[in-house]
Amino acid sequence: VHLPRDGLGFIAPEGFNTLHWYGRGPGESYCDRKLAAPVGKYSSSVEDTHFPFVPVSHNGSHADTRWFTLEDEDGSRITVKGSSFSFDVHHNTVEDYWNNYHEHELVRRDEVYINIDGAMAGIGGDMAWSTQLDPKHKVLADKHQFEFLMSFSG
């Protein structure tokens, strides 16, 4: 048995829309999608990390991250640091992505939904005729451990 991800989710209040991170970017990256996403320092808005896939699909992960910061207009910050993790931030829950098929059905929420993952499966489809996930990119349903530090300022 394998899992899509192993991590934690948090909700930040409305207004934390500016994102800075050190990890893979500037676009999304996964354990099996890293070549076009070099490690570096990047900035974006939360909304700009969303990609309108058809059908709607959870997206915007950043692999091999060392830290990220969400900031509001007043300069308040939420910062997460760790040795290496994946994260994504959206104005939608993971369930919103599961429960909607079209982009126009995906209503943006005011809050920011933060997902921090110590392990995340790949997205598969290495070959045009296959959607199978390579076993080395699966997250097995087993004991997992990762550490991060979350801080608040402002």
Side-chain angles (χ1 to χ4, degrees):
V1 175
H2 60 95
L3 310 168
R5 64 195 321 161
D6 180 31
L8 299 167
F10 302 91
I11 303 171
E14 180 179 0
F16 284 87
N17 295 314
T18 302
L19 172 65
H20 307 283
W21 76 96
Y22 184 77
R24 293 198 178 270
E28 65 182 8
S29 59
Y30 296 84
C31 64
D32 59 350
R33 298 288 189 274
K34 293 182 181 182
L35 291 178
V39 172
K41 187 176 178 184
Y42 300 97
S43 294
S44 180
S45 69
V46 170
E47 183 59 29
D48 285 346
T49 67
H50 172 79
F51 188 85
F53 285 112
V54 177
V56 169
S57 176
H58 187 263
N59 61 84
S61 180
H62 297 285
D64 300 334
T65 300
R66 277 47 161 216
W67 61 262
F68 73 88
T69 297
L70 286 167
E71 188 173 2
D72 70 7
E73 290 180 2
D74 298 327
S76 295
R77 295 180 177 166
I78 301 168
T79 300
V80 175
K81 295 179 181 181
S83 61
S84 184
F85 58 92
S86 293
F87 83 96
D88 61 80
V89 292
H90 292 287
H91 287 292
N92 295 99
T93 66
V94 172
E95 292 78 12
D96 290 339
Y97 287 103
W98 289 340
N99 295 328
N100 291 283
Y101 189 78
H102 299 99
E103 182 69 23
H104 71 274
E105 298 168 333
L106 195 61
V107 178
R108 301 299 190 272
R109 299 171 186 259
D110 294 332
E111 302 83 11
V112 176
Y113 294 84
I114 304 166
N115 296 299
I116 303 168
D117 297 299
M120 176 175 269
I123 58 175
D126 293 359
M127 300 171 278
W129 61 88
S130 171
T131 58
Q132 293 296 314
L133 188 58
D134 189 312
K136 69 183 176 190
H137 296 135
K138 292 181 178 181
V139 176
L140 298 179
D142 200 354
K143 291 182 180 180
H144 295 270
Q145 179 179 331
F146 72 105
E147 296 178 4
F148 62 89
L149 175 66
M150 182 180 280
S151 61
F152 307 90
S153 63

